Each structure stands twice: as structure tokens, then as C-alpha cells.
Amino acid sequence: FMELLSNCGVFQKVSELILKQAGKASELVTTTKRTKKSTTNPYRIPQIKVDGLQSFLHELETLVPTLQQSRDEINQHQTVSFYPGLGELFTPGAKLICHPEGMEGTPLGCSCVQSWYTEELNTATAKIKRRFVLVIEFIISVGEELVFVAASDVYPEFHDTTRNIPIKDLTHRRLLPNLPEDEALLERLQLRGEFYASVATDSHYLQYHSESFFPILKGGWSNNAVRPLSKGGRVMIDVKRGILEGHIPVRGKSDGMSDTVKEAIKLFEQSKR
């Protein structure tokens, strides 16, 4: 259903309405006591029903058999076509990982918000240029609070549209269900995200173990040491103070996700003036 809304361009609005009602439901759960009276939905948790949706989806699958073929290629062969493969791989709500610049190979967890295909006619050559646009969402600290930010990435049409490419060669990789390694990675990302959320606002004085940090040598972040610190110690984490001192918590210089974080922090600071 959300994938259909994404293609219609109203995904964000519907999501906001659902989240608003979900917030009210969460508040009811924490502030009211459950009575013995049985009801199907006592906390008014938002539920969506679209009459005829399953029939509509079944008709789409019948008219476009390449949709199921693309999913089979993704699940069985770990390869993807440009169309409609990328659209079947990166569906709204899919959990993804990517590797922004400056993270030394450490994956970043994010979610797909929406995706679509575009076509542009080159009048000079009379050729059609096709692209796949992927919009992802992740959480960052702007010093005083945590916010969700969205960034878009574009996949140009494959050079050979008749051949699939391995999923591992894409900039983003979807965490597939029922794969033990992906489930373990998702669990690590969730634990890391929970810790980040607990220390990324306000100030925190924490103890750290050995090999937790790489010392920065002269010349800035590009000249960090090869080996981590051999001793533990204590560290003050204060993202807000760091931003005021001009230390933006990203190391990338030219990738879209790093630019998005910088712009989000800038806009947040401007909104307080």
C-alpha cells in the first residue's frame, strides 16, 4: 500500500497522518489502564484498509509478470535489472545499508522512503535518458534533539539494459530477511543506533575502553593514526558544543549524505534565530 502511495506522490502526507495517530495510541497505552472489557482495538492503533487493494495488486502482477521475475532474480541469484528490478529491490520501508564518505568502511543503516523512475528526452540526440531515484532516511543529532533527514541518490540506466548486475555492486544494499548475516548486522545497527540516540543530545561524561578511538595527528582528520589508542579513559560527548565550535559530525566532503547532514544542522541553527 505504501509503495502505491509512494508512486502517487502522497506517501509523506499519509505517513505523517499515520504517525500522528500512532503517537496518540502510544500515549493511551502509557496513560490508561487496560480494563477487563475486551475490545478489538482498545488503544485506537491506526489501521488502514483499502477495499479492492488485493485484487488491484493481483491484476498488476498478472499484467506485468516481470515484477515477480525481478523478485525471483533478487532472492535467488542476488542480481537486479534496472527496470523493474531496482523498483522491486528498493521498496518504501526497506532497510538498507550504505557507506558514506569518511566512515572508513563502517556501514550506515537507513530506510527507503520512496523511489521512482524518470525519463528525460535529449532533443539533440533524440535519445531517452532513464534514471532511478532513491530517497533514503536516517536519524542524526542537530545538537539539542534527534531528527530524521532524507537524502536522494540517483542510479543512471545500466550500460547494458539486457543484463543484470550483482546486488553487491550497488551503492546501497538491502538487508534481506531470513539471511543470518543480515539479521546479525541489523541487530548491531539497532544497538548502535540506540546508543547513539542516548548520547547524541545534551552532554555525557563516559568511560571508554582501549582501542575505542584513533588519535588525530597534525593536519586534520585525513591524517588519523593507523592504530587506535591502547589505553582506555574518559571522554566528554557534547554534540551541541561541538557544532558551536564548528565541528560538524561528518567526515565526507563531496557525498550527498554528508551534505544533507551539514544542511540539516545549518537549517536547525537558523530556525532558532
Side-chain angles (χ1 to χ4, degrees):
F1 174 63
M2 285 302 183
E3 184 175 358
L4 292 175
L5 292 180
S6 171
N7 295 330
C8 294
V10 294
F11 175 82
Q12 183 174 355
K13 182 61 178 179
V14 174
S15 298
E16 290 175 355
L17 294 174
I18 295 174
L19 289 173
K20 184 178 180 180
Q21 185 60 37
K24 294 180 180 179
S26 177
E27 185 176 353
L28 284 174
V29 171
T30 57
T31 58
T32 61
K33 294 182 179 180
R34 182 72 181 270
T35 62
K36 294 182 179 180
K37 190 176 180 179
S38 178
T39 57
T40 56
N41 193 9
Y43 300 118
R44 298 169 62 187
I45 296 173
Q47 298 175 334
I48 298 176
K49 180 181 179 181
V50 181
D51 293 334
L53 176 60
Q54 292 303 321
S55 299
F56 176 65
L57 294 176
H58 182 268
E59 187 67 18
L60 285 179
E61 294 288 338
T62 303
L63 294 174
V64 190
T66 53
L67 295 175
Q68 183 60 50
Q69 178 185 341
S70 295
R71 291 193 292 270
D72 292 340
E73 292 170 347
I74 292 169
N75 296 325
Q76 299 174 12
H77 307 293
Q78 302 293 298
T79 64
V80 63
S81 61
F82 177 76
Y83 178 85
L86 289 179
E88 293 301 299
L89 178 64
F90 298 123
T91 56
K95 295 179 175 60
L96 315 175
I97 61 169
C98 55
H99 297 82
E101 181 183 343
M103 291 190 65
E104 307 295 340
T106 302
L108 170 72
C110 53
S111 298
C112 173
V113 180
Q114 56 183 330
S115 60
W116 64 88
Y117 290 92
T118 66
E119 290 185 351
E120 180 182 349
L121 176 62
N122 187 327
T123 56
T125 61
K127 293 183 178 180
I128 297 178
K129 181 183 293 185
R130 297 178 177 86
R131 296 187 179 93
F132 177 78
V133 182
L134 172 65
V135 181
I136 61 173
E137 185 180 59
F138 53 98
I139 191 171
I140 67 166
S141 170
V142 290
E144 298 179 0
E145 56 186 274
L146 298 171
V147 299
F148 282 100
V149 295
S152 61
D153 208 345
V154 178
Y155 284 87
E157 190 172 24
F158 300 163
H159 293 294
D160 186 353
T161 57
T162 63
R163 299 182 62 182
N164 292 8
I165 67 171
I167 292 177
K168 63 180 181 180
D169 293 341
L170 299 175
T171 306
H172 306 81
R173 185 173 75 84
R174 179 173 180 171
L175 296 178
L176 299 176
N178 303 322
L179 284 181
E181 56 270 24
D182 281 2
E183 291 179 353
L185 176 56
L186 178 60
E187 183 178 359
R188 293 199 303 272
L189 290 173
Q190 289 175 333
L191 291 174
R192 192 180 74 184
E194 291 172 4
F195 175 75
Y196 173 80
S198 69
V199 301
T201 57
D202 300 323
S203 57
H204 303 269
Y205 189 52
L206 304 175
Q207 180 181 3
Y208 66 89
H209 298 285
S210 59
E211 300 186 353
S212 296
F213 293 98
F214 286 86
I216 298 176
L217 307 178
K218 293 181 180 180
W221 282 356
S222 60
N223 292 324
N224 56 307
V226 177
R227 294 182 179 180
L229 294 173
S230 60
K231 297 182 179 180
R234 294 185 179 274
V235 62
M236 174 66 74
I237 299 179
D238 191 338
V239 176
K240 179 181 178 181
R241 181 65 181 180
I243 293 174
L244 293 176
E245 294 290 339
H247 303 297
I248 306 299
V250 291
R251 299 181 63 176
K253 296 180 180 180
S254 59
D255 65 292
M257 298 184 70
S258 297
D259 292 339
T260 300
V261 174
K262 296 174 186 176
E263 187 65 20
I265 294 174
K266 179 181 177 181
L267 292 175
F268 181 78
E269 291 299 317
Q270 291 177 348
S271 68
K272 297 187 297 182
R273 297 174 185 175

